[in-house]
Amino acid sequence: MVKVYYLMHSSFVVELMDRYLLFDYFNRDDLSAYVQYRGGLPEFDIEKTLYVFSSNGRKDHYTQDIFNIPGVRKFILSKDIKINKGIVEKERVQFVKPLHKYEVDDMKIETLRSNDVGLAFVISVGDFNIYFAGTLNWWNAEGRGELYGEQYGREYRRYLKPILNRKFDIGFVPMDGRMGEDGYFLGMDYFIKHIDCDTIFPMNMWGQYEWINRFKTRPDVANLKERVVDIDRENMIFVIED
């Protein structure tokens, strides 16, 4: 059994039998001008190992507050993140850059390029496989023109090529309503049709959870929609049975 905690925005916790993986935790006050998030960290079992991942240094994906979280064994941070000297012991930080492979304890970590900032994570814990997109997405902002969306689409498809033949247990994929009706679904749509992933969590929604149902009512994803998790508020907990 696996538990997934949706904290807020793109911040999630994956709880496995012996560990927690915390992704893209940030200070919700830094986004209070845009979204009034209520999410926060769960109470961690001190008997389990805690790892913290940050896919990029933007304020909606990262905060130096992560170094105040007790009991963290290792911080796995995108190379673009700058941290203050002396804020954490060097041996507890693993900086990672795109298109590289790493081993942290018994975890295998692979990184993909992002077509925005930072990177995406591919993580294997034993035979359990996780994809975390960060800001890798088919961005197509409303009003930016057709060429804008085409460029990001080409990059998105190319950057996902390393995992096209991989199998994932869970994935975290952006569904950003700021892209408008013609753009919010593109990254999720391509991912769900081309990547074999059992359970997909939408993220980077800026509190606009209604886009999930809108996506799931699209006729061309009718036979795939059950893979997409319904989220409608912060601090939701999901149990995934083996």
Side-chain angles (χ1 to χ4, degrees):
M1 183 183 71
V2 175
K3 283 186 180 179
V4 176
Y5 303 73
Y6 168 61
L7 305 186
M8 50 189 170
H9 195 56
S10 297
S11 186
F12 291 82
V13 173
V14 176
E15 181 181 359
L16 302 176
M17 184 175 62
D18 61 346
R19 74 194 70 197
Y20 298 98
L21 312 180
L22 168 61
F23 291 95
D24 281 15
Y25 186 69
F26 63 97
N27 187 331
R28 65 189 183 189
D29 293 338
D30 290 341
L31 295 189
S32 60
Y34 310 99
V35 184
Q36 293 294 322
Y37 282 121
R38 298 175 178 83
L41 294 172
E43 184 175 341
F44 294 116
D45 181 348
I46 61 172
E47 298 298 320
K48 294 190 176 187
T49 308
L50 173 59
Y51 299 90
V52 174
F53 294 79
S54 297
S55 67
N56 67 85
R58 285 191 178 152
K59 64 182 180 181
D60 60 322
H61 292 264
Y62 167 76
T63 173
Q64 287 201 149
D65 294 347
I66 61 174
F67 301 117
N68 298 324
I69 300 173
V72 178
R73 180 178 178 88
K74 201 85 171 183
F75 300 91
I76 299 95
L77 310 179
S78 173
K79 195 71 174 177
D80 67 296
I81 294 174
K82 309 299 181 186
I83 62 177
N84 294 340
K85 188 176 181 180
I87 196 170
V88 63
E89 302 89 340
K90 288 183 179 180
E91 62 271 15
R92 295 175 63 208
V93 178
Q94 172 69 66
F95 283 107
V96 295
K97 51 188 178 181
L99 299 179
H100 281 70
K101 296 180 179 181
Y102 303 86
E103 289 193 11
V104 174
D105 294 339
D106 60 347
M107 291 188 295
K108 297 184 186 304
I109 300 171
E110 183 178 344
T111 57
L112 305 181
R113 294 173 66 185
S114 171
N115 54 358
D116 189 359
V117 65
L119 45 78
F121 288 109
V122 175
I123 302 162
S124 297
V125 182
D127 59 359
F128 192 84
N129 299 303
I130 301 167
Y131 170 77
F132 185 86
T135 61
L136 176 55
N137 189 28
W138 189 323
W139 301 108
N140 188 31
E142 206 166 39
R144 293 295 293 272
E146 189 174 342
L147 290 178
Y148 177 90
E150 287 181 358
Q151 175 186 341
Y152 276 105
R154 286 193 300 270
E155 291 176 347
Y156 186 64
R157 294 190 298 268
R158 187 166 73 249
Y159 294 172
L160 282 179
K161 276 187 177 180
I163 63 170
L164 283 182
N165 297 314
R166 304 272 286 275
K167 172 74 169 65
F168 291 92
D169 296 279
I170 55 176
F172 301 91
V173 179
M175 186 184 287
D176 195 326
R178 298 175 304 169
M179 302 297 104
E181 283 286 354
D182 295 330
Y184 81 92
F185 66 93
L186 292 173
M188 179 68 78
D189 187 76
Y190 183 83
F191 186 89
I192 199 172
K193 291 176 180 176
H194 293 86
I195 306 295
D196 186 1
C197 185
D198 291 339
T199 305
I200 306 171
F201 290 85
M203 68 178 195
N204 208 77
M205 290 176 289
W206 298 93
Q208 299 176 342
Y209 304 115
E210 65 272 15
W211 293 101
I212 300 174
N213 184 63
R214 196 168 303 187
F215 175 78
K216 294 177 75 168
T217 57
R218 295 177 61 84
D220 58 330
V221 297
N223 62 331
L224 299 169
K225 65 181 181 180
E226 295 307 315
R227 297 184 188 180
V228 180
V229 175
D230 291 309
I231 297 174
D232 59 18
R233 63 189 183 278
E234 295 85 57
N235 283 337
M236 294 185 73
I237 302 175
F238 304 89
V239 177
I240 301 173
E241 300 293 345
D242 295 336

